[in-house]
Amino acid sequence: MGYSFTLRTIYPYFGDLWQSALNTLSLSLLAIVLSIALGALVALMRRSALRPVRLLGAAYVEVMRNTPLLVILYLVYFAAPEAGVRLSSFMAALVGLTLNSAGYMAEILRAGLIAVPPGQFEAAQSQGMSSAQVLRHVVFPQVFRTIYAPLGNQVIAVILASSLATAVALDEVASWMQTVGSSSFRFFETFVVAAVVYLVLCQSVNIARILIGRKLFPQGRRA
Amino acid sequence: MTEILALDGLVKRFGSRTILDGISLNVSAGEIVCFVGPSGTGKSTLLRCINGLEDIQGGRISFEGQAVQGNPSAIRAVRKRVGMIFQHFNLYPHLTALQNVMLAPVVVHKEAKAEVEARARALFDKVRLAHRINAYPAEMSGGEQQRVAIARALCTNPHLLMFDEPTSALDPETVGDVLTVMRDLALEGRTMLVVTHEIRFAADVGTRMVFMDQCRIVEQGDPRAMVAGAQTERARKFLGTIHG
């Protein structure tokens, strides 16, 4: 007797799946954008002239890379309220995911910063630019160009990691999978559907990233 | 002639290594001072100290009557009035030639874009690159990139131009294009500091030659007279080997 695969039983749940997928998508995209900003700050801290600032940046990266995301999510959602910070499921998931991803983003951005030749900083400084102007107009555009491809890895990692948000009661794709599986008893089908949804989400975002890249960097690869 | 730049007993050290050992120099408006001498004698470092790319360990720098050293806002004020041209051009690779030239006037000097663009286009005519205005640095030859770099420095209307070995990274054919542009600038009466190994250019265009060796100014004077016969043995030997 083989298992007979049928989606018919879980059809009624597909309406909820749309909303769950939107939650996964909005959580992931926000976390990606915010973790790039936070990661940039940490990457700059790691290049600071001040040793304590450098150490703080390095410590942040190591703590975030060496702590399971699940633990961070629990800390933000279940432990932070003890300190008076009470967040919704979505906000807790966003904060946890952002903090975690920023650790990786910082390392990606740091590699991009190292790749900018010292002469670029000197040319910009010699024209009288402030530190912020140097970063904004000369350094970060080059950093983003360098890291645009490796960024794709981290973007997908964030979307997949967002599935852990089910642990803080956020209604996203993984939680849809668990709920529908246990109420329909068609676990195999719901797992497969969830996998397909993640695949489609990741590829859509990745293709969007590539298309945006073509707009941003029209002149092809830098020599 | 009004004095633009005054260096008094400038000392630069990297750790325990001395790079500049008490350099004093005054530069007036309209002078073209060419720094020559063996590599590693601090010529480039001297330029980099003037606009604060290097900090100094002793002495005084004053630019247009204002003390520079150790004061970030004074350093930025100097940088806004001093154009620098680097050996390796250092153009911004993510911007077109035109955008490279326009960036600082718009961002640092807060000038209107249309005004800057008109000035930038005129500068591309001057450096004979009007046809390359929309090219990216990676698409240009070294000589073209260096002429864009000169236009970039000129677009902020600098009171002083500093050239740090502007032709050392170029092949012999394109060196001439860059030197031609520099000759034009000299004819306009621009004040220029030029670190160079092009002794013939220094003799033709320079109003003063400064020979440096072992972290100090060994001799300075009229470039033609120095090339014909320097006072010091050291300068005579160097100019003799490199000349011709």
Side-chain angles (χ1 to χ4, degrees), chain B residues 3-10 20 22-28 31-36 42-43 46-47 50 60-63 160 162 192-195 208-212 216-221:
Chain B
E3 183 176 273
I4 278 200
L5 177 71
L7 308 179
D8 183 16
L10 201 64
L20 296 171
I23 302 287
S24 296
L25 188 76
N26 297 291
V27 178
S28 299
E31 277 199 276
I32 296 160
V33 183
C34 293
F35 296 85
V36 298
K43 307 184 297 292
L46 178 60
L47 294 194
I50 292 169
R60 280 195 298 275
I61 302 173
S62 100
F63 183 77
L160 173 69
M162 300 200 297
M192 294 158 62
L193 306 183
V194 185
V195 171
R208 183 168 18 151
M209 182 177 277
V210 174
F211 175 75
M212 288 179 66
R216 294 167 185 273
I217 294 177
V218 174
E219 181 175 343
Q220 54 178 314

Side-chain angles (χ1 to χ4, degrees), chain A residues 118-131 133 137-139 141-142 145 218-219 221-223, chain B residues 48 51 53 76 79-80 82 84 86 90-95 103-104 107-110 136 138-139 152 156:
Chain A
Q120 291 293 309
F121 290 87
E122 291 177 356
Q125 285 164 357
S126 78
Q127 292 203 286
M129 287 187 209
S130 66
S131 304
Q133 287 169 336
H137 296 285
V138 174
V139 174
Q142 295 183 55
R145 178 152 203 183
Q219 75 274 34
R221 288 304 308 162
R222 179 172 57 192
Chain B
R48 295 163 57 83
N51 68 354
L53 288 182
R76 275 195 71 195
R79 288 171 174 175
K80 288 182 187 178
V82 176
M84 185 151 187
F86 299 87
N90 299 355
L91 291 181
Y92 309 128
H94 59 297
L95 301 178
L103 183 62
V107 166
V108 178
H109 299 261
K110 314 283 183 209
Y136 284 92
E139 301 163 348
R152 177 174 70 174
T156 54

Side-chain angles (χ1 to χ4, degrees), chain A residues 25 29 32 155 159 200-210:
Chain A
L25 192 62
L29 290 181
I32 287 162
V155 164
I159 297 172
V200 169
L201 282 178
C202 287
Q203 270 315 297
S204 308
V205 171
N206 197 41
I207 289 168
R209 182 187 65 84
I210 291 168

